Amino acid sequence: MRTSAKARRQPPGSLDDERILQELGYTQQLRRRMGAFGNFSASLSVISIMSGALLLFGYGLNAGGPAVVMWGWLAVGPLVLCLAAALAEITSRYPTSGGLYYMARQLGGERWSWYTGWLNLMGLLGGIAAQDYGIATFTAAWMNLQFGFVPSPGSLLALYAVVLALHAILNLFGTRLMNLLTSLSAWWHLAGAVVIIGALALLPSHHQPAGFVFSAFTNNTGWSSPAYVILLGMLLPCFALAGYDTSAHLSEETSQASVAAARGIVRSVAVSWVAGGILLAALLFAIQDYSATLASPTGVPVAQIFLDALGVATAKVLLLVIIVAQFLCGYAVTASASRMIYAFSRDGALPGSARWRKISPRTAVPSQAVWLAVTVAFALALPSLYSATAFSAVTAISVVGFTPAYAIPVLLRLLHRDKGTCGPWHLGHWSRPIGWVAVLWAAVVTVLFLLPQTSPVTAATFNYTPVAALVVLTLAALWWRVGRRSYGVPRSGTADAPDQVEETQGTS
């Protein structure tokens, strides 16, 4: 039997992927140039132990200190892994760019799907804002060491805008560059972590005792309840280990996605948890002066640890290693968010969907969705001009968006076991117990990070996460009334969705 020219050009398994996607109700529009490692690398990059864990390291030192940072990381990791595994099982059955909201449609109906999609979008856009603003703060810290630059809220926002623009431009170049950069990112993160851990373990003349790392408690939040402060400290691991749904959002660009995307979700969380725990321990052992670390003129406690323990030259080099890792992470988060916007618009869920679902004919990239993602992310960081807690609020927005969006498909599958079948990757008899643990954990986390983080609560310390969540849910509710007639997520096995190809030239 002869093989068609189209088949010869496709990676192994692509025709099966196209058939599965067609059964789910869509035609193949994006290009499948990403393999299993590239898909895993994308989620690993978005989780990014040198981004999420280090961006909130100073927050963790204030909200509980070393004991909460270490024990919180060790305790939260397995719970996140339960949620990731439960979600991976559903991803194996429904490997589409829509990810969570498509799963919710198949398992619970359109209203569940609608709100799941909006929450997921909030998490992704908050994730871009948190990652890229964090890059700006670390870049400013490096500039402080190199040039004596003293960052201000305005200069940080300007740096943030530059980072957003660079990520948008790079995301216009298509899947081939994405596969290259995400694969590079995975190796950079792992190799960079080894270099940093090795330097912190071998070079400092003094290390903190284990008693300090595993039992020292610090409360600079203003709250008197140690239990509440410990719970607030959980924001660090919850934010740092989020974003693994990237593997699902990139499934329409991945070969053999039914298995590769599911494995990418679970493996990225497992690797990040182990490597991140070692990295955090190395940083805590290397602290030379706790008070000086918190009051660092660089504005970044990690930079001060490098400076005190390793010297100026080494500190600059290691900061650059981290900044590159964070930049690659931000690139992957932007890619994931743009694919979510594209898929959600393809099904008519967003105002102006006809614009955001367009695909560049030259690069097969949803370019308009890319620009929308970075524009909204910029708006989310504007409160940083007057709010001292804006960064932790943005990270909380990301967690509060991601976590319930992850949990809703899992809950629906637990409640409606008769709907759908398992994909090729599944948990077997462990599916239900792991699923219920995941759902209960998600409910606790969602409520927790809507609460105030600092006392007394003032305009400068106000946690505006509940406001952001209320705005998103209100907009979703209003648009449901106006635009739900245009919303049409296909049921599994229905006819294909129409192609949407942009008429203008894209970036080659």
Side-chain angles (χ1 to χ4, degrees):
M1 183 177 65
R2 291 186 176 182
T3 303
S4 68
K6 178 181 179 180
R8 289 194 298 269
R9 292 196 300 268
Q10 300 295 327
S14 285
L15 296 181
D16 284 341
D17 286 320
E18 290 186 18
R19 177 185 56 77
I20 293 170
L21 187 61
Q22 189 172 26
E23 290 174 356
L24 297 177
Y26 298 111
T27 54
Q28 183 72 46
Q29 293 177 266
L30 305 175
R31 295 172 185 165
R32 291 188 186 269
R33 289 178 172 170
M34 186 172 290
F37 183 76
N39 185 281
F40 155 77
S41 300
S43 278
L44 190 73
S45 298
V46 170
I47 295 173
S48 181
I49 58 172
M50 285 197 285
S51 188
L54 301 190
L55 293 179
L56 283 178
F57 185 73
Y59 171 89
L61 294 183
N62 282 299
V68 174
V69 170
M70 281 309 304
W71 290 113
W73 186 272
L74 294 174
V76 168
L79 295 169
V80 173
L81 194 56
C82 283
L83 185 54
L87 189 65
E89 187 176 44
I90 307 173
T91 299
S92 181
R93 175 66 182 86
Y94 304 114
T96 71
S97 293
L100 310 178
Y101 82 85
Y102 182 90
M103 302 171 195
R105 171 64 181 94
Q106 307 309 314
L107 299 170
E110 285 194 345
R111 190 181 291 268
W112 281 107
S113 172
W114 181 273
Y115 286 100
T116 300
W118 280 87
L119 285 168
N120 189 203
L121 188 56
M122 181 176 86
L124 286 164
L125 295 175
I128 295 176
Q131 297 290 353
D132 283 14
Y133 194 84
I135 296 169
T137 62
F138 269 72
T139 302
W142 182 86
M143 293 170 66
N144 177 268
L145 296 180
Q146 182 68 28
F147 307 113
F149 172 75
V150 179
S152 65
S155 61
L156 282 175
L157 192 67
L159 276 173
Y160 172 62
V162 171
V163 174
L164 284 172
L166 289 174
H167 281 150
I169 292 169
L170 285 174
N171 264 281
L172 300 180
F173 283 86
T175 308
R176 185 169 292 171
L177 178 63
M178 184 191 304
N179 198 30
L180 174 64
L181 290 181
T182 55
S183 297
L184 170 65
S185 178
W187 290 112
W188 187 276
H189 273 81
L190 296 175
V194 170
V195 169
I196 293 171
I197 291 166
L200 292 174
L202 300 175
L203 298 182
S205 58
H206 167 74
H207 287 93
Q208 295 288 346
F212 168 83
V213 173
F214 291 97
S215 63
F217 179 82
T218 303
N219 177 14
N220 293 327
T221 66
W223 298 107
S224 59
S225 169
Y228 185 62
V229 174
I230 290 171
L231 291 174
L232 289 177
M234 296 301 103
L235 178 60
L236 189 159
C238 287
F239 172 71
L241 294 175
Y244 44 84
D245 61 313
T246 298
S247 288
H249 293 304
L250 296 177
S251 58
E252 290 183 33
E253 296 161 83
T254 303
S255 297
Q256 299 178 326
S258 294
V259 173
R263 287 177 176 170
I265 290 173
V266 174
R267 289 175 177 175
S268 62
V269 174
V271 171
S272 297
W273 179 51
V274 173
I278 298 171
L279 178 60
L280 289 173
L283 285 166
L284 292 171
F285 275 111
I287 291 176
Q288 305 297 302
D289 186 328
Y290 198 85
S291 298
T293 298
L294 290 177
S296 175
T298 67
V300 175
V302 172
Q304 193 63 42
I305 293 173
F306 290 162
L307 191 62
D308 294 341
L310 306 173
V312 177
T314 306
K316 291 178 185 177
V317 172
L318 294 186
L319 275 177
L320 286 176
V321 171
I322 292 172
I323 290 167
V324 172
Q326 291 174 342
F327 187 84
L328 293 170
C329 167
Y331 166 82
V333 178
T334 304
S336 181
S338 66
R339 270 45 173 194
M340 167 62 193
I341 292 171
Y342 153 74
F344 214 28
S345 299
R346 177 176 62 181
D347 293 322
L350 296 179
S353 286
R355 179 180 184 88
W356 313 126
R357 69 190 179 206
K358 290 180 179 178
I359 299 292
S360 168
R362 295 181 62 187
T363 61
V365 168
S367 54
Q368 300 295 330
V370 170
W371 287 112
L372 177 62
V374 297
T375 300
V376 176
F378 180 78
L380 285 176
L382 288 176
S384 66
L385 291 173
Y386 63 83
S387 173
T389 59
F391 179 72
S392 60
V394 169
T395 59
I397 288 171
S398 182
V399 173
V400 168
F402 274 135
T403 306
Y406 293 165
I408 288 171
V410 177
L411 176 63
L412 292 173
R413 188 164 188 269
L414 291 169
L415 296 177
H416 304 291
R417 297 292 293 182
D418 57 319
K419 291 190 176 182
T421 58
C422 290
W425 192 99
H426 57 86
L427 297 170
H429 295 302
W430 288 99
S431 179
R432 287 186 68 80
I434 287 176
W436 281 115
V437 169
V439 169
L440 292 174
W441 163 247
V444 171
V445 168
T446 301
V447 173
L448 176 62
F449 297 123
L450 293 172
L451 301 177
Q453 298 171 346
T454 306
S455 179
V457 179
T458 65
T461 63
F462 177 68
N463 177 14
Y464 62 92
T465 303
V467 176
L470 183 61
V471 168
V472 169
L473 292 175
T474 301
L475 179 60
L478 292 174
W479 190 245
W480 172 260
R481 291 180 176 273
V482 175
R484 63 180 174 180
R485 291 182 180 178
S486 66
Y487 187 54
V489 181
R491 293 303 301 269
S492 180
T494 61
D496 294 343
D499 292 347
Q500 301 289 344
V501 180
E502 187 175 0
E503 298 297 333
T504 57
Q505 293 292 313
T507 305
S508 59

